[in-house]
Amino acid sequence: MKGSLTHEQLAAAAAEFGTPLYVYHAEKIGEQYEKIRSAFSIMDTSFFYASKALTNINILRYIKSIGCNVDCSSINEVKLALFAGFEPARILYTSNGISFEEIEEAVAAGVHINIDSLSNLEKFGKKYGHTYPVGIRIRPNIMAGGNLKISTGHDTSKFGIPVDQLTQIENLVSEYNILIRTLHIHTGSDIKDPDIFVKGMEVLFELIPHFPELEVIDLGGGFKVPYMPGEKETDVVLLAQKIKDTFDHHPVAGNHGAGRKFSIWFEPGKFLVSQCGYLLAEVTVVKDTGNMVFAAVNSGLNHLIRPMMYDAYHHIVNVSNPDGQPKIYTITGNVCETDTFASEREISEIREGDILALFNAGAYGFEMASNYNSRFRPAEVLYKENIPHLIRRRDTMQDLLRNQELNS
Ligand code: LLP
């Protein structure tokens, strides 16, 4: 089974497990991985799934089973990856703004690490010298990504060590004899234009002669996925070809005879798991206010924050009445502040009790969910070989009360 889950499969999951519900499709993740794996088979490339997009242990285990590695953005994600069975050599920890204690924990776990500040680089040098290979996250001063909130490589971004601080980096590396194995950049999310990756590589290429022990060029994540009908994802075949050409034509970086040999690493999140996921919600109220028809669902920005946080478009289908007469609706949640999922969208006729499916909910959906308004976070279900498996139960009152102390 490839592509999307059917309306029937989604409706069946809602009937069996209740709503609101996150439903994922394992084979879609496999399909996306296969696209990048085969596109980049023309060069030495490894992929580390950016697990911040969706960390359910069953998803991590599936990612592992298809041969993909994992990228982490906190020490707890590293621990989840270890729990899911990844060997340390298949785990990358790309840190930002973290305490040095987390880096020490990551070293003790034996995982790959990218450091993103001069301060941590210095502490790392003092403690580990040349004994543990490490990567540096460089801020290339490039503007990229779908919107400013998800742009990370520009010249006012907090991420990485600015490329113009090369001298300070070099001073630390030589003072403590640090073993720099990787140069890393991640310029943003939702990047369609392959030339942005090429631009980033060119910035890193300038740095290569300064790091004689370099083996890895890590270009981060950020491949675009289609959110709106008709939108296109990053052309990964074209991207792979452009990256190979850029390498091949570079006198120092070129993977040709005289040049040094490098592996390319990527950290895709959305590309692997965005399209595999759906948020299913039940219509609780249809309200015609004269100038608008609202359909309120039993979910909200507490479960899927992307529309309110990034003005993100999520396609919505009425899976219990897919062939109904199309009408214009504004879809809202039940949270006690404005939580619009879609404004004046054409959707097949909505009746109270219908099940709406919000598409592209796999990446940064459940993962950014909260208990705001003391609502329960949804359950999660994974369809694998056409069978739906419950992979996280819905919260209960115990979950809301857990960790609270009756102390006053
Ligand atoms: N590597 C690093 C260092 C990152 O910071 C990120 C994402 C990725 C890889 C994966 O990027 P992706 O392939 O998923 O675009 N919550 C936002 C996206 C935030 C991305 C944060 N970093 C959203 O829902 O659009």
Side-chain angles (χ1 to χ4, degrees):
M1 185 179 62
K2 296 228 163 173
S4 316
L5 291 175
T6 63
H7 298 157
E8 291 74 23
Q9 283 170 312
L10 293 171
E16 182 174 352
F17 301 100
T19 59
L21 184 71
Y22 272 99
V23 180
Y24 312 117
H25 180 199
E27 285 78 10
K28 180 66 184 168
I29 303 175
E31 182 187 320
Q32 291 297 101
Y33 180 62
E34 186 49 31
K35 274 189 208 165
I36 44 177
R37 197 205 56 74
S38 70
F40 281 91
S41 59
I42 54 175
M43 58 199 306
D44 175 5
T45 313
S46 296
F47 296 96
F48 293 76
Y49 162 58
S51 60
K52 77 196 75 179
L54 178 59
T55 48
N56 187 293
I57 288 293
N58 300 271
I59 299 291
L60 296 180
R61 281 158 54 109
Y62 185 75
I63 291 278
K64 176 171 180 282
S65 77
I66 58 178
C68 186
N69 308 308
V70 68
D71 173 51
C72 304
S73 57
S74 73
I75 195 69
N76 292 343
E77 283 183 3
V78 170
K79 289 175 188 170
L80 287 175
L82 289 167
F83 183 83
F86 283 92
E87 302 89 50
R90 290 181 59 188
I91 301 175
L92 169 63
Y93 182 12
T94 299
S95 64
N96 106 78
I98 62 168
S99 71
F100 186 63
E101 285 72 38
E102 279 201 28
I103 294 181
E104 291 175 305
E105 271 196 78
V107 170
V111 305
H112 305 288
I113 303 167
N114 289 328
I115 289 183
D116 103 318
S117 66
L118 289 171
S119 145
N120 271 332
L121 188 62
E122 174 154 30
K123 290 176 190 155
F124 190 91
K126 273 190 188 149
K127 176 141 189 190
Y128 301 107
H130 198 264
T131 61
Y132 199 92
V134 74
I136 306 179
R137 179 168 186 173
I138 299 289
R139 192 186 76 191
N141 298 341
I142 292 174
M143 181 57 90
N147 64 66
L148 193 56
K149 286 187 185 149
I150 54 174
S151 296
T152 48
H154 56 84
D155 65 4
T156 53
S157 157
K158 70 166 183 171
F159 295 98
I161 305 176
V163 59
D164 31 279
Q165 293 184 341
L166 175 63
T167 310
Q168 285 101 308
I169 298 175
E170 279 191 298
N171 288 344
L172 291 176
V173 169
S174 86
E175 182 174 355
Y176 299 107
N177 190 20
I178 306 172
L179 202 180
I180 304 297
R181 183 175 52 195
T182 303
L183 288 180
H184 167 282
I185 50 168
H186 170 77
T187 56
S189 193
D190 247 345
I191 305 170
K192 186 161 174 224
D193 180 3
D195 289 335
I196 294 289
F197 290 92
V198 171
K199 250 169 97 178
M201 281 172 75
E202 282 163 354
V203 172
L204 294 186
F205 281 170
E206 295 294 310
L207 307 185
I208 286 177
H210 301 262
F211 300 100
E213 294 175 292
L214 203 64
E215 291 172 13
V216 178
I217 300 286
D218 178 349
L219 296 174
F223 303 156
K224 183 175 175 46
V225 294
Y227 282 96
M228 283 190 196
E231 249 185 346
K232 292 266 180 293
E233 63 190 16
T234 308
D235 182 341
V236 290
V237 172
L238 178 66
L239 176 65
Q241 197 53 56
K242 284 201 174 212
I243 288 187
K244 184 168 188 312
D245 290 347
T246 314
F247 253 93
D248 287 351
H249 294 120
H250 195 273
V252 182
N255 281 337
H256 47 68
R260 289 163 55 190
K261 287 249 179 267
F262 296 101
S263 305
I264 302 281
W265 289 6
F266 283 106
E267 303 157 2
K270 278 180 188 167
F271 195 82
L272 293 178
V273 299
S274 174
Q275 294 162 92
C276 84
Y278 307 79
L279 172 60
L280 303 182
E282 182 176 330
V283 177
T284 39
V285 174
V286 177
K287 184 190 283 184
D288 187 342
T289 60
N291 58 353
M292 299 263 243
V293 182
F294 290 96
V297 295
N298 61 352
S299 184
L301 64 76
N302 50 337
H303 298 157
L304 180 66
I305 202 169
R306 300 193 75 261
M308 292 309 293
M309 185 139 171
Y310 313 112
D311 292 325
Y313 180 101
H314 284 261
H315 189 55
I316 300 180
V317 169
N318 181 353
V319 292
S320 40
N321 191 21
D323 302 318
Q325 177 72 27
K327 295 191 175 160
I328 305 294
Y329 297 96
T330 291
I331 311 296
T332 63
N334 58 4
V335 164
C336 207
E337 65 175 279
T338 302
D339 60 347
T340 309
F341 281 133
S343 293
E344 303 191 74
R345 190 83 69 78
E346 189 174 274
I347 299 176
S348 54
E349 186 186 2
I350 296 178
R351 303 140 319 171
E352 291 181 0
D354 275 347
I355 303 295
L356 304 188
L358 285 81
F359 283 47
N360 283 86
Y364 310 105
F366 184 90
E367 207 55 36
M368 294 177 82
S370 75
N371 290 114
Y372 185 39
N373 276 198
S374 296
R375 296 277 179 197
F376 301 144
R377 287 177 311 159
E380 293 178 288
V381 162
L382 178 63
Y383 260 101
K384 213 166 148 188
E385 292 167 4
N386 283 322
I387 300 179
H389 304 271
L390 183 67
I391 57 170
R392 184 193 302 263
R393 60 166 178 73
R394 189 178 313 289
D395 284 346
T396 61
M397 277 312 290
Q398 273 101 332
D399 294 310
L400 295 188
L401 289 166
R402 191 160 28 123
N403 300 338
Q404 300 200 45
E405 304 276 359
L406 265 184
N407 252 341
S408 57

